[in-house]
Amino acid sequence: EALAGVVGSAARLSEFADGLEHAATMAPTTAAKSTATQKSDRCISASCVDVVAPKGGEVLALSVSFEVKDGKALIITGPNATGKSLLASFTAGLRPLTGDASLRLDGLQISAERPHLSDLLLIPQRAYLAPGGLGDQVSYPLPGADQDPGTLQKCLDMVGIGYLVERHGGLEAESELPWDEILSGGEQQRIGMARCIFHRPGFAILDECSSMVSQDAELGLYKAITQAGTIPITVSQRLS
């Protein structure tokens, strides 16, 4: 019986390893950085994008088209379960397009490769909080220890949570508990905004990433992101 148990465990581990290998082959590769040098030259355009629920195949929207560029930001709004985040995932290059759909960033098809971090950054409703210190949260996926401390602190100050550095013992001090058990929902969302300001992408998809922040504070966060040179694509249930 013991031998049978070992054999069964080995088989399950082998299946798990095969699954990881298969997932790695399906994951989108990352594109090279865009060659556009001027903000006025940057553009994301979509045409004929069908938004269909991955489970069940429910059609949520057909032939969606839009254009986002400097001075022409975009807001995607609507009730829950209407495909807002699904459309955002297409735009971020996280899901493959179907049919004749086209999504381009600075002229390059997005679905072929996930856009470079400096070109497009997706900030979800709950930002991933990595192991490490506060500096690592701001610079993720880059290590915080390799970044300028003054820049990291400034990003936190700009989103109104600079006080966290002193409270938690510095930018590199690691917490005993996971950060998502320490920080409030609003502070976690501000971390996501600070991350966006740090990386200064050409475009940012802000997917309900300020839903736990007051509307007055939300205005300041969006202003900080646009002042950093980023063109926002906002996904939100609220328009004001």
Side-chain angles (χ1 to χ4, degrees), residues 100-182:
D100 297 327
S102 174
L103 251 168
R104 295 183 176 275
L105 190 155
D106 297 340
L108 299 177
Q109 183 71 273
I110 288 179
S111 63
E113 294 181 304
R114 185 175 57 202
H116 192 275
L117 182 66
S118 63
D119 294 323
L120 188 147
L121 184 62
L122 172 64
I123 306 296
Q125 186 174 30
R126 287 190 176 275
Y128 171 68
L129 300 180
L134 284 166
D136 294 299
Q137 310 316 314
V138 176
S139 62
Y140 180 82
L142 304 177
D146 295 343
Q147 316 308 319
D148 174 51
T151 300
L152 296 173
Q153 179 70 60
K154 182 179 180 182
C155 291
L156 291 169
D157 290 339
M158 290 179 70
V159 298
I161 52 174
Y163 59 84
L164 291 176
V165 176
E166 182 177 356
R167 176 184 295 178
H168 295 285
L171 287 165
E172 296 186 21
E174 298 190 23
S175 61
E176 295 183 2
L177 296 173
W179 285 108
D180 59 4
E181 295 182 18
I182 296 173

XYZ file of all heavy atoms in Angstrom, residues 100-182:
629
model
N -11.798 38.490 -36.924
C -11.122 39.598 -37.603
C -10.731 40.723 -36.654
O -10.405 41.829 -37.093
C -12.042 40.171 -38.693
C -12.345 39.153 -39.780
O -11.465 38.323 -40.067
O -13.471 39.187 -40.328
N -10.754 40.452 -35.361
C -10.457 41.495 -34.374
C -9.019 41.987 -34.505
O -8.105 41.228 -34.839
C -10.688 40.962 -32.960
N -8.845 43.273 -34.220
C -7.519 43.882 -34.259
C -7.350 44.810 -33.062
O -8.248 45.591 -32.746
C -7.333 44.680 -35.556
O -6.099 45.387 -35.544
N -6.216 44.685 -32.391
C -5.866 45.573 -31.287
C -4.405 45.930 -31.455
O -3.528 45.054 -31.412
C -6.091 44.871 -29.942
C -7.267 45.345 -29.086
C -7.527 44.378 -27.943
C -6.986 46.732 -28.539
N -4.132 47.220 -31.643
C -2.765 47.634 -31.941
C -2.282 48.718 -30.980
O -3.042 49.606 -30.599
C -2.657 48.143 -33.383
C -2.912 47.062 -34.420
C -2.730 47.553 -35.849
N -2.890 46.475 -36.805
C -1.909 45.639 -37.165
N -0.697 45.815 -36.661
N -2.142 44.684 -38.025
N -1.029 48.601 -30.594
C -0.362 49.613 -29.786
C 0.796 50.162 -30.612
O 1.721 49.421 -30.968
C 0.156 49.013 -28.473
C 0.675 50.008 -27.423
C 0.576 49.411 -26.020
C 2.133 50.399 -27.685
N 0.712 51.436 -30.926
C 1.719 52.079 -31.777
C 1.951 51.287 -33.061
O 3.087 51.130 -33.532
C 3.036 52.252 -31.014
C 2.891 53.163 -29.809
O 1.921 53.939 -29.769
O 3.733 53.082 -28.896
N 0.852 50.751 -33.610
C 0.917 50.059 -34.891
C 1.184 48.577 -34.819
O 1.044 47.872 -35.817
N 1.576 48.051 -33.660
C 1.903 46.634 -33.519
C 0.733 45.880 -32.898
O 0.135 46.346 -31.937
C 3.162 46.457 -32.670
C 4.433 47.099 -33.214
C 5.585 46.900 -32.230
C 4.799 46.514 -34.582
N 0.424 44.707 -33.444
C -0.683 43.906 -32.956
C -0.429 43.458 -31.520
O 0.615 42.880 -31.213
C -0.875 42.687 -33.857
C -2.050 41.798 -33.503
C -3.398 42.434 -33.800
O -3.935 43.144 -32.963
N -3.932 42.175 -34.981
N -1.375 43.740 -30.637
C -1.198 43.418 -29.220
C -1.339 41.936 -28.952
O -0.610 41.363 -28.145
C -2.205 44.221 -28.360
C -1.804 45.694 -28.329
C -2.277 43.666 -26.942
C -2.744 46.577 -27.525
N -2.268 41.266 -29.620
C -2.551 39.875 -29.284
C -1.385 38.945 -29.578
O -1.296 37.862 -29.006
C -3.792 39.395 -30.043
O -3.560 39.428 -31.438
N -0.490 39.347 -30.482
C 0.651 38.494 -30.804
C 1.625 38.416 -29.638
O 2.200 37.365 -29.358
C 1.368 39.026 -32.044
N 1.819 39.538 -28.934
C 2.725 39.596 -27.791
C 2.176 40.575 -26.758
O 1.564 41.577 -27.108
C 4.125 40.062 -28.223
C 4.872 39.108 -29.126
C 6.249 39.649 -29.475
O 6.315 40.769 -30.003
O 7.242 38.954 -29.218
N 2.401 40.284 -25.494
C 1.985 41.189 -24.431
C 2.846 42.442 -24.500
O 4.070 42.364 -24.626
C 2.160 40.498 -23.080
C 1.651 41.300 -21.897
C 1.766 40.486 -20.628
N 3.144 40.063 -20.407
C 3.489 39.036 -19.651
N 2.577 38.295 -19.076
N 4.752 38.736 -19.488
N 2.237 43.636 -24.418
C 3.021 44.877 -24.513
C 4.097 44.985 -23.438
O 3.955 44.440 -22.344
C 1.959 45.975 -24.342
C 0.687 45.334 -24.768
C 0.789 43.907 -24.347
N 5.162 45.684 -23.771
C 6.259 45.914 -22.830
C 5.754 46.742 -21.644
O 4.856 47.578 -21.783
C 7.394 46.650 -23.539
C 8.674 46.678 -22.769
N 8.939 47.624 -21.810
C 9.762 45.865 -22.808
C 10.131 47.411 -21.299
N 10.663 46.346 -21.880
N 6.362 46.513 -20.481
C 5.957 47.193 -19.251
C 5.984 48.712 -19.395
O 5.152 49.406 -18.818
C 6.891 46.756 -18.117
C 6.616 47.314 -16.719
C 5.289 46.798 -16.200
C 7.738 46.903 -15.761
N 6.909 49.227 -20.156
C 7.014 50.680 -20.308
C 5.981 51.236 -21.290
O 5.817 52.450 -21.381
C 8.422 51.062 -20.784
O 8.677 50.514 -22.067
N 5.288 50.342 -22.002
C 4.285 50.781 -22.968
C 2.869 50.700 -22.412
O 2.051 51.590 -22.649
C 4.375 49.942 -24.248
C 5.670 50.172 -24.997
O 6.137 51.323 -25.022
O 6.219 49.202 -25.550
N 2.577 49.623 -21.692
C 1.225 49.454 -21.168
C 1.280 48.649 -19.875
O 1.916 47.604 -19.808
C 0.334 48.749 -22.192
C -1.162 48.685 -21.852
C -1.989 48.739 -23.130
C -1.507 47.415 -21.088
N 0.609 49.166 -18.852
C 0.590 48.519 -17.537
C -0.856 48.365 -17.087
O -1.639 49.307 -17.161
C 1.365 49.362 -16.521
C 1.525 48.795 -15.106
C 2.304 47.491 -15.135
C 2.233 49.811 -14.212
N -1.203 47.166 -16.649
C -2.550 46.899 -16.125
C -2.519 46.988 -14.606
O -1.756 46.281 -13.947
C -3.015 45.507 -16.555
C -4.320 44.991 -15.927
C -5.495 45.871 -16.337
C -4.574 43.548 -16.318
N -3.347 47.876 -14.041
C -3.472 48.006 -12.592
C -4.851 47.476 -12.217
O -5.868 48.121 -12.469
C -3.325 49.476 -12.139
C -2.018 50.081 -12.655
C -3.390 49.565 -10.621
C -0.768 49.429 -12.107
N -4.930 46.283 -11.610
C -6.223 45.683 -11.288
C -6.820 46.260 -10.004
O -6.195 47.080 -9.318
C -5.883 44.203 -11.115
C -4.474 44.230 -10.593
C -3.808 45.409 -11.259
N -8.007 45.800 -9.683
C -8.688 46.286 -8.479
C -7.868 45.979 -7.229
O -7.808 46.793 -6.302
C -10.069 45.653 -8.369
C -10.919 46.209 -7.230
C -12.338 45.663 -7.237
O -12.595 44.542 -7.677
N -13.280 46.456 -6.781
N -7.247 44.836 -7.193
C -6.350 44.480 -6.093
C -4.970 44.195 -6.672
O -4.762 43.173 -7.322
C -6.873 43.258 -5.328
C -8.086 43.569 -4.463
C -8.426 42.404 -3.553
N -9.522 42.713 -2.651
C -9.378 43.324 -1.476
N -8.180 43.697 -1.071
N -10.431 43.564 -0.709
N -4.051 45.092 -6.434
C -2.699 44.933 -6.961
C -1.999 43.769 -6.275
O -2.195 43.532 -5.075
C -1.906 46.222 -6.744
N -1.181 43.038 -7.031
C -0.393 41.963 -6.433
C 0.663 42.587 -5.524
O 1.399 43.486 -5.920
C 0.287 41.138 -7.530
C 1.284 40.147 -6.980
C 0.860 39.052 -6.231
C 2.647 40.312 -7.191
C 1.767 38.145 -5.712
C 3.560 39.408 -6.679
C 3.120 38.322 -5.944
O 4.020 37.434 -5.422
N 0.723 42.101 -4.300
C 1.710 42.578 -3.343
C 2.744 41.480 -3.148
O 2.442 40.405 -2.621
C 1.039 42.955 -2.016
C -0.027 44.059 -2.128
C -0.637 44.356 -0.765
C 0.558 45.321 -2.742
N 3.962 41.760 -3.560
C 5.021 40.755 -3.604
C 5.716 40.613 -2.254
O 5.647 41.513 -1.404
C 6.047 41.149 -4.669
N 6.402 39.510 -2.023
C 7.260 39.408 -0.834
C 8.330 40.500 -0.883
O 8.778 40.891 -1.959
C 7.885 38.018 -0.972
C 6.962 37.259 -1.866
C 6.408 38.273 -2.823
N 8.717 40.996 0.266
C 9.726 42.050 0.315
C 9.224 43.274 1.048
O 8.230 43.232 1.770
N 9.926 44.389 0.841
C 9.572 45.625 1.516
C 8.644 46.499 0.692
O 8.201 46.126 -0.394
N 8.365 47.676 1.222
C 7.489 48.604 0.509
C 8.089 49.033 -0.822
O 7.372 49.251 -1.801
C 7.226 49.833 1.391
C 6.239 49.623 2.537
C 6.319 50.789 3.520
C 4.824 49.467 2.006
N 9.408 49.152 -0.858
C 10.062 49.513 -2.113
C 9.803 48.488 -3.201
O 9.610 48.838 -4.373
N 9.789 47.207 -2.808
C 9.504 46.141 -3.778
C 8.079 46.238 -4.305
O 7.819 45.882 -5.458
C 9.711 44.773 -3.122
C 11.156 44.513 -2.746
O 12.009 44.496 -3.651
O 11.438 44.340 -1.551
N 7.158 46.705 -3.476
C 5.768 46.842 -3.917
C 5.652 47.926 -4.983
O 4.914 47.770 -5.960
C 4.853 47.173 -2.724
C 5.003 46.284 -1.513
C 5.098 44.812 -1.833
O 4.323 44.278 -2.631
N 6.080 44.147 -1.244
N 6.376 49.006 -4.808
C 6.300 50.123 -5.760
C 6.949 49.751 -7.091
O 6.403 50.037 -8.162
C 6.972 51.379 -5.176
C 6.980 52.509 -6.209
C 6.259 51.827 -3.909
N 8.099 49.099 -7.040
C 8.865 48.851 -8.267
C 8.536 47.520 -8.931
O 9.044 47.236 -10.018
C 10.363 48.877 -7.964
O 10.715 47.844 -7.051
N 7.695 46.675 -8.293
C 7.377 45.363 -8.850
C 7.040 45.454 -10.344
O 6.330 46.376 -10.762
C 6.184 44.764 -8.090
C 5.780 43.406 -8.605
C 6.443 42.262 -8.195
C 4.752 43.279 -9.543
C 6.084 41.012 -8.695
C 4.397 42.044 -10.048
C 5.061 40.915 -9.618
O 4.723 39.697 -10.124
N 7.592 44.555 -11.184
C 8.357 43.350 -10.866
C 9.861 43.560 -10.704
O 10.593 42.576 -10.568
C 8.058 42.460 -12.068
C 7.927 43.422 -13.206
C 7.251 44.637 -12.618
N 10.322 44.794 -10.713
C 11.741 45.059 -10.498
C 12.043 45.058 -9.005
O 11.204 45.472 -8.200
C 12.122 46.416 -11.106
C 11.801 46.609 -12.597
C 12.177 48.025 -13.023
C 12.517 45.578 -13.441
N 13.225 44.602 -8.582
C 13.560 44.600 -7.149
C 13.745 46.015 -6.615
O 14.431 46.837 -7.225
C 14.861 43.796 -7.084
C 15.444 43.879 -8.467
C 14.285 43.975 -9.406
N 13.123 46.287 -5.483
C 13.197 47.627 -4.910
C 14.599 48.021 -4.496
O 14.957 49.203 -4.549
N 15.424 47.049 -4.095
C 16.777 47.353 -3.625
C 17.648 47.948 -4.731
O 18.638 48.619 -4.446
C 17.432 46.093 -3.064
N 17.266 47.719 -5.996
C 18.046 48.229 -7.125
C 17.588 49.610 -7.585
O 18.153 50.168 -8.527
C 17.950 47.257 -8.309
C 18.583 45.905 -8.010
O 19.371 45.821 -7.039
O 18.288 44.945 -8.743
N 16.559 50.150 -6.950
C 15.984 51.426 -7.385
C 16.439 52.558 -6.468
O 16.904 52.339 -5.364
C 14.452 51.342 -7.407
C 13.892 50.078 -8.018
C 14.447 49.760 -9.392
O 14.614 50.651 -10.227
N 14.741 48.491 -9.647
N 16.265 53.782 -6.952
C 16.616 54.961 -6.167
C 15.597 55.138 -5.034
O 14.396 55.278 -5.306
C 16.613 56.206 -7.064
C 16.816 57.479 -6.276
O 17.766 57.531 -5.488
O 16.001 58.411 -6.442
N 16.039 55.138 -3.781
C 15.097 55.260 -2.659
C 14.272 56.535 -2.711
O 13.090 56.539 -2.350
C 16.015 55.234 -1.423
C 17.263 54.551 -1.879
C 17.425 54.938 -3.317
N 14.887 57.623 -3.162
C 14.160 58.886 -3.252
C 13.002 58.808 -4.226
O 11.922 59.366 -3.974
N 13.220 58.101 -5.348
C 12.144 57.937 -6.336
C 11.014 57.090 -5.782
O 9.826 57.414 -5.961
C 12.704 57.291 -7.618
O 13.738 58.128 -8.163
C 11.605 57.107 -8.655
N 11.358 56.020 -5.083
C 10.336 55.155 -4.491
C 9.507 55.917 -3.461
O 8.270 55.823 -3.437
C 10.995 53.938 -3.835
C 11.750 52.985 -4.770
C 12.501 51.934 -3.964
C 10.803 52.318 -5.754
N 10.198 56.685 -2.625
C 9.497 57.471 -1.611
C 8.589 58.510 -2.259
O 7.449 58.711 -1.822
C 10.517 58.157 -0.699
C 9.906 59.033 0.392
C 9.200 58.240 1.461
O 9.810 57.415 2.135
N 7.898 58.473 1.641
N 9.068 59.143 -3.306
C 8.273 60.168 -3.990
C 6.991 59.569 -4.572
O 5.921 60.192 -4.497
C 9.091 60.830 -5.101
C 8.349 61.947 -5.825
C 9.224 62.587 -6.897
C 8.469 63.699 -7.621
N 9.306 64.309 -8.702
N 7.088 58.365 -5.123
C 5.905 57.718 -5.694
C 4.858 57.449 -4.610
O 3.663 57.652 -4.826
C 6.299 56.413 -6.383
S 7.278 56.642 -7.886
N 5.322 57.003 -3.445
C 4.397 56.769 -2.337
C 3.799 58.083 -1.831
O 2.617 58.158 -1.506
C 5.121 56.043 -1.204
C 5.516 54.587 -1.497
C 6.451 54.061 -0.418
C 4.280 53.713 -1.589
N 4.634 59.127 -1.779
C 4.141 60.437 -1.345
C 3.069 60.967 -2.298
O 2.060 61.546 -1.854
C 5.296 61.442 -1.277
C 6.270 61.159 -0.137
O 5.871 60.456 0.817
O 7.421 61.629 -0.209
N 3.270 60.753 -3.588
C 2.345 61.289 -4.594
C 0.955 60.671 -4.497
O -0.031 61.286 -4.908
C 2.923 61.094 -6.004
C 4.120 61.975 -6.309
S 4.805 61.693 -7.962
C 3.493 62.369 -8.992
N 0.883 59.448 -3.964
C -0.438 58.806 -3.834
C -0.936 58.839 -2.389
O -1.944 58.206 -2.060
C -0.406 57.350 -4.365
C -0.056 57.333 -5.839
C 0.563 56.492 -3.564
N -0.237 59.588 -1.549
C -0.742 59.839 -0.200
C -0.460 58.778 0.837
O -1.111 58.764 1.895
N 0.514 57.887 0.599
C 0.826 56.855 1.599
C 2.320 56.837 1.929
O 2.867 55.798 2.308
C 0.358 55.451 1.155
C 0.875 55.117 -0.249
C -1.150 55.340 1.223
C 0.567 53.682 -0.671
N 2.962 57.977 1.817
C 4.381 58.053 2.165
C 4.634 57.726 3.628
O 5.739 57.288 3.989
N 3.627 57.909 4.467
C 3.771 57.641 5.905
C 4.045 56.165 6.198
O 4.555 55.812 7.266
C 2.504 58.066 6.644
C 1.247 57.364 6.168
C 0.883 56.109 6.663
C 0.414 57.953 5.216
C -0.258 55.461 6.226
C -0.734 57.308 4.771
C -1.063 56.069 5.277
O -2.188 55.430 4.826
N 3.721 55.273 5.252
C 3.913 53.842 5.477
C 5.389 53.482 5.658
O 5.714 52.519 6.361
C 3.340 53.041 4.303
C 1.816 53.036 4.146
C 1.416 52.278 2.887
C 1.142 52.424 5.366
N 6.273 54.247 5.025
C 7.705 53.931 5.093
C 8.206 54.038 6.525
O 8.878 53.128 7.042
C 8.505 54.864 4.156
C 9.997 54.603 4.294
C 8.050 54.686 2.708
N 7.879 55.127 7.194
C 8.294 55.297 8.588
C 7.576 54.305 9.498
O 8.179 53.722 10.404
C 8.023 56.726 9.049
C 8.479 57.001 10.480
C 8.265 58.438 10.891
O 7.824 59.261 10.049
O 8.531 58.756 12.073
N 6.306 54.088 9.235
C 5.518 53.191 10.084
C 6.060 51.766 10.061
O 6.038 51.065 11.085
C 4.056 53.200 9.624
C 3.163 52.230 10.391
C 1.754 52.212 9.826
N 1.068 53.489 10.004
C -0.176 53.722 9.550
N -0.817 52.770 8.886
N -0.739 54.906 9.754
N 6.577 51.339 8.907
C 6.996 49.940 8.767
C 8.510 49.769 8.694
O 8.989 48.727 8.252
C 6.316 49.320 7.549
C 4.825 49.233 7.689
N 4.199 48.301 8.500
C 3.825 49.987 7.145
C 2.888 48.473 8.430
N 2.635 49.481 7.623
N 9.240 50.773 9.108
C 10.685 50.592 9.274
C 11.546 50.784 8.050
O 12.676 50.295 8.014
N 11.049 51.494 7.045
C 11.870 51.772 5.870
C 11.371 51.076 4.618
O 10.467 50.232 4.656
N 11.982 51.425 3.504
C 11.564 50.895 2.212
C 11.907 49.417 2.040
O 11.220 48.687 1.325
C 12.209 51.703 1.076
C 11.650 53.100 0.839
C 12.590 53.906 -0.036
C 10.265 52.998 0.168
N 13.000 48.974 2.683
C 13.451 47.596 2.466
C 13.034 46.650 3.579
O 13.246 45.434 3.479
C 14.977 47.566 2.310
C 15.480 48.326 1.089
C 16.978 48.168 0.878
O 17.551 47.190 1.414
O 17.579 49.013 0.192
N 12.438 47.179 4.636
C 12.048 46.321 5.761
C 10.906 45.390 5.349
O 9.890 45.833 4.826
C 11.610 47.182 6.944
N 11.098 44.109 5.592
C 10.074 43.120 5.255
C 9.123 42.933 6.431
O 9.530 42.998 7.590
C 10.719 41.789 4.869
C 11.602 41.889 3.628
C 12.035 40.531 3.118
O 11.348 39.536 3.421
O 13.058 40.464 2.415
N 7.877 42.691 6.119
C 6.866 42.527 7.159
C 6.758 41.059 7.570
O 7.064 40.158 6.779
C 5.510 43.018 6.666
O 5.102 42.257 5.536
N 6.313 40.833 8.801
C 6.118 39.461 9.265
C 4.893 38.831 8.617
O 4.867 37.634 8.351
C 5.976 39.446 10.790
C 7.239 39.877 11.540
C 7.073 39.773 13.039
O 5.997 39.327 13.489
O 8.025 40.130 13.762
N 3.892 39.639 8.362
C 2.671 39.166 7.711
C 2.660 39.611 6.252
O 3.351 40.570 5.878
C 1.436 39.723 8.426
C 1.205 39.287 9.873
C 0.036 40.063 10.465
C 0.943 37.785 9.945
N 1.900 38.942 5.394
C 1.752 39.419 4.013
C 1.203 40.837 3.996
O 0.376 41.204 4.834
C 0.757 38.414 3.406
C 0.869 37.192 4.254
C 1.165 37.684 5.638
N 1.629 41.617 3.031
C 1.211 43.014 2.966
C -0.295 43.157 2.819
O -0.881 44.130 3.298
C 1.923 43.724 1.819
C 3.361 44.031 2.129
C 4.463 43.420 1.603
C 3.851 45.010 3.052
N 5.607 43.958 2.156
C 5.268 44.938 3.033
C 3.239 45.938 3.896
C 6.065 45.761 3.816
C 4.032 46.759 4.676
C 5.428 46.678 4.631
N -0.937 42.187 2.166
C -2.383 42.322 1.996
C -3.149 42.066 3.295
O -4.365 42.291 3.361
C -2.901 41.413 0.879
C -2.620 39.940 1.126
O -2.087 39.598 2.205
O -2.930 39.125 0.234
N -2.443 41.602 4.333
C -3.054 41.462 5.652
C -2.727 42.653 6.554
O -3.285 42.774 7.642
C -2.581 40.163 6.319
C -3.018 38.899 5.604
C -2.574 37.644 6.332
O -2.234 37.742 7.534
O -2.554 36.564 5.708
N -1.837 43.519 6.086
C -1.412 44.673 6.873
C -2.056 45.958 6.369
O -2.558 46.771 7.152
C 0.129 44.818 6.832
C 0.789 43.611 7.490
C 0.580 46.117 7.501
C 2.294 43.592 7.342
